[in-house]
Amino acid sequence: MIDLAQRSKQLRVLALVGAVCTTSAFADGQTTCVPSENATKAVYWGDLHVHTQYSLDAYAFGATATPSDAYRYAKGEPLLLANGSTSKIDRPLDFAAVTDHAATFDLLYLCTDPMNTDNDYCRTLREARDNRDGRTLFNDYLLPIVGAADPAPAAICDDKNFSCSNAMANQWQRTQHAANEANEPCEFTALIGYEWTASPGGRHWHRNVIFRGSTVTEQPIDYVRYPEVSMLWQQLDAQCKAEDQCHALTIPHNINWADGGPTFAVESEDRTLRTLRAKFERLAEMHQEKGNSECMPEDPNADAADCGFERVIENVAKTRLSGPSKLSAEDAWQQTRSSYYRTLLGRGLQTYQRSENRQNPLMLGAIASTDNHFGTAGRVAEEGYRGSIASLFSTDEQVLNNTQFNPGGLVAVWANHNTRGEIFDALHRREAYATSGPRISLQFSAGPESACAAHPRVQKDHTAMGGTLPGATQAGVYFTVSAQMDHTPLAKLQLVKGELWEGELRETVFDLFNAEEGQAQTCVAWLDEDFNPNAPSYWYARASEIPTPRWSKLLCESLGKCGDYPKADRMIEERAWSSPIWHLP
């Protein structure tokens, strides 16, 4: 019999290894914490995708939280929502970033707080929100800004009486101030960020921009003024200099709705652009409330066991803006599949092999976050979830008729201390992983022998998740996966391998561990007997819990209406995914 309370306590102790004694502040973002003797890396939990009332869509559907409120919520304080309910996270986070849509910073600063501009444009916006007409605001105000291939600023920016440039700068300053005020070195890390929101034709080519310290660009680099992802990287490269203590990451998310396109067109990019992509784009958000983006099988009729987890393909905004696809069903499937996480890893291997300078621009570590729009950072529990952005004032029946979304996930990093510098650097080196919500402790490494006795401290001759095997690696590589449960026992450990050989990309899923009744912890060292030292490859680990009731099942059961809503009545096997390890001969 597993003592769940004791196991949860043990995991929290693990997360506190190296706890704070004193702090020592150096250059910006480089605060260090004096650890306990013989401390090892600890796992820290965060959410890097959170919206507040500073995002137009969040404001439209009833968000009242400010960035400061969101950071307080992440630390464990309750938050009163606009429908009168109170939300509180079950456990505080260790780090978070508020990532509001930069494209509407100016509009919201002028029309809502603090100025409340009294003109027809702003008055209509506020009245629609007060009348709970979020759909009108989303369709008539937001989509024309971020949903156009040739975007234009908000209509109010055409009025010479207002300076949208000043409004943008002021909102950006307020965003920074909230993060800097919330940041508590060694206790809680608040990273400065925003979202570059590109939705041409309803497709999601979004990036969250995350900064290492308090030195950031003067203005956010938003989609309206810089409508290509290459422009985002070029401007970051020009404005955010390492010698000025400025460092940034751009993280694609909701890539299940990217639907192909130039956002990942590495095959046609030149060397300069691939280098910029590789510099800034070192992670991908593979799980969030709008669905999971791990993989789609090449065959649409394939068994969904591998790639069917929280699958959400339907995109209402794309249908509205672009209309029905003109592609065949098979071609549409392959186009959608082309931007999923596992496919991107394979495209990176192919680009590496074809490029003259042996460059892999798609070495993407795996993270997850919530993408919630009410400032409830890290709110991932199935119990009490009621749907996505438009659900705040929905009835139970309306919620049960739209159960495709989920509470989102969390990002975990293995770092020495909980500071901006340490958390960012762990993200940068891809020593990070994703979960669909539970705080499963997951380690993944590769080396000449088993590392089960060494985790969570990775041996010197082992490569940690996010890394690349040494160039001289030959046969005899052991991949060690160790996992510890959160509240629910673990049922599976799997290893996903992608290998490129003689022009063919092969994907294989290996079962390392199965326990139908579940187990509290496990460690498996797996020898890749088919390791080919001449084949570009990647491997990543996946852990799954025993099935538990999904949020929709909990809701329909509480109402006694599961028979009326069969799509809601289902279980879920919560998961965790490590960042990959690569072999690039």
Side-chain angles (χ1 to χ4, degrees):
M1 182 70 178
I2 299 170
D3 187 336
L4 299 185
Q6 181 63 23
R7 168 51 50 197
S8 180
K9 180 179 179 182
Q10 290 171 352
L11 288 181
R12 189 59 188 161
V13 170
L14 174 62
L16 290 175
V17 172
V20 177
C21 295
T22 60
T23 64
S24 177
F26 298 101
D28 181 51
Q30 296 181 353
T31 302
T32 62
C33 311
V34 178
S36 59
E37 188 175 358
N38 299 322
T40 62
K41 287 179 180 176
V43 62
Y44 295 101
W45 294 95
D47 187 350
L48 297 177
H49 193 175
V50 183
H51 294 276
T52 73
Q53 64 167 290
Y54 286 13
S55 291
L56 179 55
D57 51 355
Y59 172 87
F61 288 104
T64 55
T66 64
S68 294
D69 293 330
Y71 287 122
R72 284 192 289 269
Y73 184 90
K75 294 178 182 182
E77 294 187 24
L79 178 65
L80 180 63
L81 304 179
N83 64 357
S85 66
T86 298
S87 180
K88 189 175 185 296
I89 198 171
D90 60 340
R91 287 167 286 181
L93 295 177
D94 298 306
F95 63 96
V98 171
T99 53
D100 283 311
H101 301 294
T104 56
F105 272 3
D106 45 12
L107 179 160
L108 284 170
Y109 187 86
L110 291 170
C111 287
T112 61
D113 181 35
M115 297 183 69
N116 283 327
T117 301
D118 191 22
N119 65 7
D120 289 341
Y121 179 88
C122 290
R123 195 160 44 248
T124 301
L125 181 147
R126 292 193 297 270
E127 288 174 354
R129 182 255 179 59
D130 292 343
N131 293 330
R132 300 181 185 175
D133 191 7
R135 292 291 180 191
T136 294
L137 288 182
F138 187 86
N139 293 330
D140 296 348
Y141 281 74
L142 181 63
L143 286 184
I145 297 173
V146 303
D150 186 17
I156 194 172
C157 296
D158 295 331
D159 191 327
K160 295 181 180 180
N161 293 315
F162 305 106
S163 172
C164 279
S165 178
N166 288 343
M168 174 78 74
N170 288 337
Q171 196 79 322
W172 180 221
Q173 286 292 330
R174 297 168 76 196
T175 298
Q176 295 172 56
H177 178 75
N180 290 332
E181 286 289 299
N183 193 55
E184 300 178 58
C186 308
E187 295 290 341
F188 178 83
T189 292
L191 294 164
I192 298 171
Y194 64 86
E195 183 177 305
W196 180 83
T197 310
S199 293
R203 296 167 179 85
H204 282 211
W205 298 345
H206 307 178
R207 263 70 175 176
N208 283 329
V209 181
I210 307 294
F211 292 93
R212 187 178 191 268
S214 60
T215 303
V216 300
T217 55
E218 184 175 352
Q219 291 264 25
I221 301 163
D222 68 299
Y223 173 64
V224 173
R225 294 154 186 83
Y226 303 97
E228 296 179 13
V229 71
S230 59
M231 295 179 178
L232 171 64
W233 299 325
Q234 289 162 354
Q235 290 299 316
L236 284 173
D237 195 51
Q239 299 183 38
C240 185
K241 299 287 189 180
E243 55 264 34
D244 298 326
Q245 301 299 321
C246 185
H247 307 268
L249 292 169
T250 65
I251 306 173
H253 60 260
N254 203 190
I255 54 179
N256 52 320
W257 287 359
D259 202 35
T263 188
F264 293 113
V266 294
E267 294 84 359
S268 60
E269 292 172 352
D270 61 23
R271 180 174 178 175
T272 299
L273 190 53
R274 287 176 183 167
T275 300
L276 283 177
R277 180 188 289 273
K279 175 181 178 179
F280 293 108
E281 205 130 294
R282 302 176 65 83
L283 301 161
E285 184 184 292
M286 70 140 68
H287 186 81
Q288 57 142 250
E289 71 170 14
K290 295 186 185 75
N292 186 269
S293 308
E294 180 189 3
C295 58
M296 285 178 69
E298 189 169 4
D299 180 1
N301 299 314
D303 182 10
D306 179 30
C307 298
F309 180 78
E310 292 292 344
R311 180 187 290 174
V312 182
I313 299 177
E314 180 184 0
N315 179 352
V316 175
K318 178 193 166 189
T319 301
R320 179 178 181 274
L321 293 177
S322 299
S325 175
K326 297 178 182 179
L327 299 174
S328 67
E330 180 179 349
D331 288 344
W333 179 272
Q334 296 304 329
Q335 178 172 288
T336 300
R337 181 177 181 269
S338 69
S339 55
Y340 271 64
Y341 180 75
R342 195 186 294 176
T343 307
L344 293 176
L345 295 180
R347 290 173 65 184
L349 297 183
Q350 292 170 325
T351 303
Y352 168 82
Q353 190 171 67
R354 293 169 183 166
S355 61
E356 294 181 0
N357 62 328
R358 292 293 188 174
Q359 185 181 38
N360 184 347
L362 290 174
M363 296 180 69
L364 300 170
I367 72 163
S369 286
T370 61
D371 190 21
N372 82 77
H373 280 62
F374 299 111
T376 50
R379 195 261 173 251
V380 292
E382 297 288 328
E383 186 175 4
Y385 180 71
R386 292 182 55 82
S388 187
I389 180 173
S391 66
L392 188 63
F393 298 103
S394 298
T395 65
D396 294 333
E397 288 71 19
Q398 288 172 327
V399 170
L400 288 173
N401 276 313
N402 185 20
T403 60
Q404 62 177 341
F405 297 140
N406 72 91
L410 296 176
V411 51
V413 300
W414 287 96
N416 288 315
H417 310 293
N418 187 6
T419 64
R420 280 178 166 175
E422 291 280 352
I423 297 296
F424 183 95
D425 291 349
L427 292 166
H428 186 270
R429 66 176 179 266
R430 299 179 288 258
E431 200 167 351
Y433 65 95
T435 87
S436 59
R439 302 191 184 190
I440 299 168
S441 179
L442 182 65
Q443 279 283 294
F444 180 49
S445 68
E449 59 187 3
S450 169
C452 280
H455 283 166
R457 179 183 298 184
V458 177
Q459 296 175 353
K460 291 182 179 180
D461 56 353
H462 279 244
T463 301
M465 68 172 76
T468 304
L469 294 176
T473 301
Q474 297 297 314
V477 180
Y478 283 87
F479 292 87
T480 303
V481 185
S482 64
Q484 292 178 303
M485 62 175 273
D486 186 12
H487 294 312
T488 302
L490 302 170
K492 296 177 186 177
L493 283 185
Q494 295 172 305
L495 193 70
V496 178
K497 178 182 179 181
E499 179 185 57
L500 184 62
W501 184 242
E502 295 182 346
E504 180 184 356
L505 183 64
R506 305 168 183 170
E507 295 179 2
T508 312
V509 180
F510 299 95
D511 290 326
L512 307 184
F513 162 82
N514 281 281
E516 187 173 336
E517 298 299 321
Q519 191 165 305
Q521 60 185 2
T522 185
C523 185
V524 178
W526 178 78
L527 174 64
D528 189 348
E529 296 179 346
D530 296 322
F531 178 82
N532 187 336
N534 298 313
S537 308
Y538 69 80
W539 301 258
Y540 67 86
R542 184 168 68 188
S544 302
E545 294 181 346
I546 63 173
T548 51
R550 191 174 183 266
W551 72 268
S552 54
K553 181 178 179 65
L554 292 171
L555 178 57
C556 73
E557 284 182 342
S558 70
L559 300 172
K561 293 186 177 182
C562 288
D564 298 331
Y565 301 94
K567 290 184 179 180
D569 188 13
R570 52 195 171 106
M571 306 288 281
I572 184 173
E573 295 179 8
E574 303 277 13
R575 297 185 176 185
W577 304 261
S578 78
S579 287
I581 292 172
W582 284 268
H583 175 58
L584 301 174

